[in-house]
Amino acid sequence: MRKLGLIMEKSVLLHSRRNLLAGAGSVLLAAGLAGCADAAARPVPLAVRRNPGCGCCEVWTEQMRASGRFIVTTEDDPDLGAFKSAHGVPSDLASCHTAIVGDYVVEGHVPLADVVRLLDERPAIAGIAVGGMPMGSPGMEQPGGGNEAYDVVAFTSGGQRSVFTHYPAS
């Protein structure tokens, strides 16, 4: 009988130890996942250079800031063309502002979703751009709506280009 009691006691201890280890593993896994979520939710710096006093640039930067994904700084640059050139922005894709986020250039009125996608996917490109100032793009919204069709163009330092996202007219 005593032997049966010892066997049952060992079984209870072993079962308790397994539950303890499983519980500890679950806690560590949850903490690790929370840490990953915190890292993804942490805002990243987005440094914007713009034509001095540009209103649509201000609207675009406010949209980026309001997302909570970025810590936005803005600097008026009277020689913005030199900055764009130094960062490899193709002249035909130029707009009124240029942002640097991580290792990427974001030129012009690029939608928030595309900037987030760029950072999530980390493609082997120099940056993305919306050339010019298409109506309906972020910062260029008009009362009454209406959008021109435009592309967000991915570009490399070697000159290759591809459509990153297409936005149809509406």
Side-chain angles (χ1 to χ4, degrees):
M1 193 64 157
R2 178 163 158 69
K3 193 172 187 177
L4 181 60
L6 287 174
I7 290 173
M8 288 183 68
E9 191 175 311
K10 282 184 179 179
S11 175
V12 168
L13 286 174
L14 182 59
H15 184 70
S16 296
R17 189 176 301 157
R18 282 187 189 141
N19 286 344
L20 177 65
L21 290 174
S26 296
V27 168
L28 289 173
L29 178 62
L33 291 175
C36 289
D38 288 346
R42 245 180 254 136
V44 296
L46 181 98
V48 181
R49 296 269 190 108
R50 70 179 188 163
N51 287 325
C54 181
C56 63
C57 298
E58 190 63 33
V59 173
W60 185 84
T61 58
E62 283 306 313
Q63 290 177 9
M64 296 296 123
R65 186 176 287 118
S67 74
R69 299 288 305 252
F70 305 103
I71 300 168
V72 180
T73 57
T74 305
E75 181 180 336
D76 287 351
D77 188 344
D79 193 12
L80 190 56
F83 183 79
K84 291 175 188 302
S85 181
H87 286 87
V89 176
S91 59
D92 63 317
L93 293 179
S95 187
C96 53
H97 60 268
T98 305
I100 305 297
V101 59
D103 296 329
Y104 296 104
V105 176
V106 176
E107 177 66 20
H109 296 271
V110 176
L112 171 66
D114 293 309
V115 179
V116 169
R117 178 179 155 212
L118 174 72
L119 296 175
D120 286 348
E121 294 179 4
R122 301 253 176 227
I125 59 174
I128 55 178
V130 171
M133 300 165 71
M135 290 297 151
S137 62
M140 295 300 297
E141 297 91 349
Q142 300 298 308
N147 298 341
E148 295 177 324
Y150 66 94
D151 291 330
V152 177
V153 178
F155 60 93
T156 68
S157 57
Q160 291 87 16
R161 297 178 187 197
S162 61
V163 174
F164 192 72
T165 308
H166 173 73
Y167 291 89
S170 64

